Amino acid sequence: EASLMTEQNNEKYISMKEVCDYLSVQRQTVLSWITQRDFPAVKVGKFWRFKLSEIEAWIKTQNESK
């Protein structure tokens, strides 16, 4: 379990463009998910950054709540 936490801490953040490409959605969709659906994101300066592991977990919770 400790090694999993270390892996997550070392996981690199990805950009908005990478998230949009990964999920095949537009930037505006991601921004609305951040404000309305608790999408996991961190604002670094004026840029949004994301971790894929958190996005995967968010997707699972979205599917479970339907």
Side-chain angles (χ1 to χ4, degrees):
E1 194 171 77
S3 65
L4 181 63
M5 288 197 56
T6 306
E7 273 180 38
Q8 284 184 335
N9 290 343
N10 290 337
E11 182 185 352
K12 290 188 345 194
Y13 283 97
I14 63 171
S15 69
M16 174 69 81
K17 181 182 183 329
E18 289 170 303
V19 170
C20 292
D21 291 346
Y22 180 71
L23 298 176
S24 300
V25 296
Q26 294 184 346
R27 183 177 189 274
Q28 197 55 48
T29 303
V30 175
L31 291 173
S32 72
W33 288 347
I34 292 168
T35 58
Q36 298 168 15
R37 294 173 63 181
D38 207 24
F39 192 78
V42 176
K43 195 130 194 209
V44 181
K46 60 182 182 176
F47 300 106
W48 287 103
R49 292 292 178 256
F50 311 85
K51 289 195 173 183
L52 276 181
S53 62
E54 293 174 359
I55 292 170
E56 292 293 337
W58 179 84
I59 290 168
K60 283 183 183 165
T61 64
Q62 298 303 300
N63 289 335
E64 288 165 7
S65 64
K66 287 185 179 171

